[in-house]
Amino acid sequence: MNASTGNRFRDTATFGFEMEFLILFRESGIKFQPRLETGDRDRLPRQVPEEPCNLSLGGDDDHGVHMKRLHYFGGEIAKKLTEAGTATVYREKGHPKAETSGLDEEEPRLGCFDKFCYSSYKQNTIVPEETMIWTDPTANGKRMAVRPETPEGHFWLGFEFVSRAYRYREFELAKLELEIICRTLRAEYLVSINAGKESDAASSRCGTHLHWGLGGAEYDLLTVKRVLTFMWVTEKMLMGLHATWRQNAMKYDALLQQGTNIATDNVSKLPSWTIDFSKGDWTREMEQNVPPRVSGSLHCNKPKTHWLWRAETVTDLAMLVGEVRKSRRASVGITELLPATSSFPGKVRRSQLNTIEFRHMQGSLHADLIAAWTLVTAEIMRICVDSSPEDFANVLERVATCVSDENSTVQELLNNLGASPETCNVFRKFHQQRLDREADWRTSMFLAEI
């Protein structure tokens, strides 16, 4: 049955992707090629890029040198991508912070697709991704949190490719540009998605994030509740499409039923009504959209689905799905739905992009895999945006039945979501065991040229 009652999503949806990766460089004057701890030593890329001889001069401390290297090589990477056919610029900051001077100071917004207030999202950008390697430069003597395994005379730098915003109907163009990006990075550099060491507090393994918007318009509260409920039900099984380690990536990507405030009953972070919520219009709305199988289910002996539907504001929802310690972002990020001036603890950017972010996927330079996950999230968003209450409840019942059956597979879940055979085949090719091998920091130091 077609769960859609309209084409609002297909007509208005916009999306963008963010790809984290690390690249190996060599210090000035170093001539030898590094010895690679990998079973694919014969497939080396071109010479590891060397920093200019004067880049590290000037009396800078370690962090100052690190930032100079980021800015220099970030610009070089952007040039390489532009020469390959996908126009890209380098920015020192990854997201808009100083572009709001002409906006309403009370509540700056992204604006409609054709008149973006934030020029950052009109073009592809390379930005520094310090969080994978460097701690806050003001803390602990400016020491690295996770220092990657680095050959003598060499150093890793972390970057993020932030795509421009695409219309949903431009998906094929986005995929073409994604192929150019992945092919160029893998051909030109020693590039990794997992260089480094694991620790309890940090990791230098990378992620791939997807943002979905409605052309800059604000989401209504019902749609946000639908998305969170849908992911609450399906998320654990959907993680079978990704590297195993992502299931336990609690720092910034906590799964809704595992590391969030709602999952752990983090009382100090939860709205007061979660202890004793009253009846109201929300109960009728929940009954229309959520089948009894889901609304009647318990998590830690509590009806957590009711909490999502009892929420009165996006801020309530953001607090429920906040990550326990930082109240920042769960695997489904909704903080960009909050006003730019929001005082919510997890609001780390002064922007309101009006996007819902999917943070589940591991770092990858496989264009087909990223494109396939984009289409899966598109189906989820389409169902949540376009469905009538009856149709949404029917789809949710169907996927909940699939998820609750211990004999069901993630491929069956994809079928229930309406994923195409081509999309399903991509995930068969890039199965979890293969992704785990690529994500194993002990054995895989780089991704060879395709």
Side-chain angles (χ1 to χ4, degrees):
M1 178 179 64
N2 188 352
S4 176
T5 60
N7 293 311
R8 183 189 179 204
F9 179 75
R10 296 187 186 279
D11 292 342
T12 65
T14 48
F15 71 97
F17 53 87
E18 301 166 349
M19 302 163 53
E20 298 172 348
F21 55 91
L22 299 107
I23 293 178
L24 187 68
F25 300 96
R26 58 193 169 106
E27 297 174 2
S28 177
I30 298 297
K31 302 300 182 184
F32 64 88
Q33 280 278 66
R35 179 180 178 181
L36 301 174
E37 296 300 323
T38 172
D40 202 14
R41 293 191 179 102
D42 295 331
R43 298 187 64 193
L44 293 175
R46 297 180 181 179
Q47 186 79 0
V48 176
E50 179 183 7
E51 67 177 337
C53 60
N54 60 349
L55 190 65
S56 300
L57 301 178
D60 294 294
D61 58 16
D62 285 347
H63 187 263
V65 171
H66 176 70
M67 296 308 297
K68 282 185 175 180
R69 287 169 168 171
L70 278 172
H71 299 330
Y72 173 78
F73 284 112
E76 292 299 301
I77 295 167
K79 290 178 185 177
K80 289 281 189 185
L81 293 174
T82 300
E83 291 169 359
T86 180
T88 305
V89 299
Y90 175 73
R91 290 180 181 270
E92 294 186 5
K93 297 292 184 182
H95 299 280
K97 292 183 179 179
E99 296 187 48
T100 58
S101 59
L103 304 178
D104 181 349
E105 285 298 314
E106 293 299 317
E107 203 171 25
R109 288 180 170 84
L110 174 66
C112 71
F113 184 86
D114 294 317
K115 299 178 181 179
F116 277 172
C117 296
Y118 302 123
S119 61
S120 302
Y121 300 100
K122 293 181 179 180
Q123 55 192 341
N124 298 320
T125 58
I126 290 288
V127 300
E129 181 45 80
E130 290 187 80
T131 57
M132 292 184 294
I133 299 180
W134 208 279
T135 57
D136 181 349
T138 64
N140 299 323
K142 305 174 183 176
R143 296 182 64 84
M144 286 187 175
V146 182
R147 187 181 293 277
E149 295 282 4
T150 309
E152 182 180 356
H154 293 72
F155 54 91
W156 290 96
L157 295 178
F159 296 97
E160 184 175 7
F161 180 92
V162 181
S163 81
R164 69 177 180 87
Y166 296 93
R167 295 184 188 275
Y168 180 59
R169 59 176 176 264
E170 294 180 301
F171 174 77
E172 291 301 325
L173 172 61
K175 184 179 178 183
L176 177 62
E177 294 194 345
L178 183 57
E179 290 170 350
I180 294 173
I181 296 159
C182 293
R183 183 171 60 249
T184 303
L185 291 175
R186 295 176 72 156
E188 297 288 341
Y189 300 102
L190 258 177
V191 60
S192 174
I193 55 169
N194 63 301
K197 294 181 178 179
E198 289 294 279
S199 72
D200 291 337
S203 168
S204 56
R205 292 194 290 195
C206 305
T208 304
H209 308 149
L210 289 167
H211 286 258
W212 282 103
L214 296 175
E218 293 187 37
Y219 283 94
D220 58 69
L221 192 62
L222 171 63
T223 299
V224 183
K225 290 180 178 181
R226 282 180 169 185
V227 172
L228 293 175
T229 304
F230 203 93
M231 294 306 292
W232 176 269
V233 172
T234 63
E235 189 176 55
K236 184 176 180 180
M237 182 173 279
L238 283 173
M239 292 308 293
L241 301 175
H242 308 305
T244 304
W245 74 272
R246 295 296 290 183
Q247 298 178 26
N248 300 313
M250 297 299 184
K251 188 178 181 184
Y252 298 123
D253 308 286
L255 298 186
L256 297 181
Q257 290 197 27
Q258 293 185 20
T260 59
N261 294 325
I262 187 175
T264 61
D265 295 349
N266 191 18
V267 176
S268 64
K269 301 293 184 182
L270 295 173
S272 59
W273 46 255
T274 57
I275 300 174
D276 183 22
F277 48 80
S278 58
K279 300 289 184 180
D281 291 341
W282 68 271
T283 56
R284 179 177 59 84
E285 194 174 58
M286 183 183 70
E287 289 168 357
Q288 290 178 335
N289 287 271
V290 184
R293 169 191 290 275
V294 176
S295 62
S297 63
L298 300 179
H299 180 275
C300 298
N301 296 316
K302 295 182 180 179
K304 301 291 182 67
T305 305
H306 290 223
W307 294 11
L308 294 174
W309 288 84
R310 170 62 176 81
E312 297 178 349
T313 65
V314 174
T315 300
D316 284 345
L317 291 173
M319 189 62 75
L320 287 174
V321 303
E323 189 269 335
V324 175
R325 288 182 296 174
K326 296 180 180 294
S327 295
R328 191 178 181 220
R329 285 171 290 180
S331 51
V332 182
I334 61 172
T335 56
E336 285 298 341
L337 305 180
L338 298 172
T341 54
S342 170
S343 59
F344 176 69
K347 185 69 176 175
V348 296
R349 304 172 187 163
R350 193 179 183 278
S351 60
Q352 183 181 353
L353 303 183
N354 294 326
T355 59
I356 293 176
E357 183 180 16
F358 291 82
R359 302 174 59 83
H360 305 80
M361 186 177 176
Q362 72 288 328
S364 178
L365 290 174
H366 298 299
D368 286 347
L369 183 60
I370 297 172
W373 177 238
T374 302
L375 290 175
V376 170
T377 57
E379 284 302 310
I380 292 171
M381 292 302 301
R382 180 188 63 79
I383 291 167
C384 295
V385 170
D386 286 345
S387 299
S388 68
E390 180 183 3
D391 286 344
F392 180 78
N394 288 337
V395 176
L396 193 57
E397 169 72 25
R398 197 161 65 241
V399 299
T401 300
C402 177
V403 168
S404 63
D405 184 350
E406 61 182 18
N407 295 317
S408 292
T409 66
V410 69
Q411 286 288 334
E412 291 176 274
L413 178 57
L414 290 178
N415 291 333
N416 279 298
L417 292 177
S420 69
E422 293 78 14
T423 297
C424 294
N425 286 335
V426 170
F427 288 110
R428 290 190 181 95
K429 177 181 178 181
F430 294 98
H431 50 80
Q432 192 171 61
Q433 292 81 0
R434 174 177 175 175
L435 299 177
D436 285 347
R437 289 195 297 271
E438 289 190 357
D440 187 349
W441 60 269
R442 296 167 299 180
T443 59
S444 176
M445 291 296 292
F446 80 107
L447 297 172
E449 179 181 354
I450 297 175

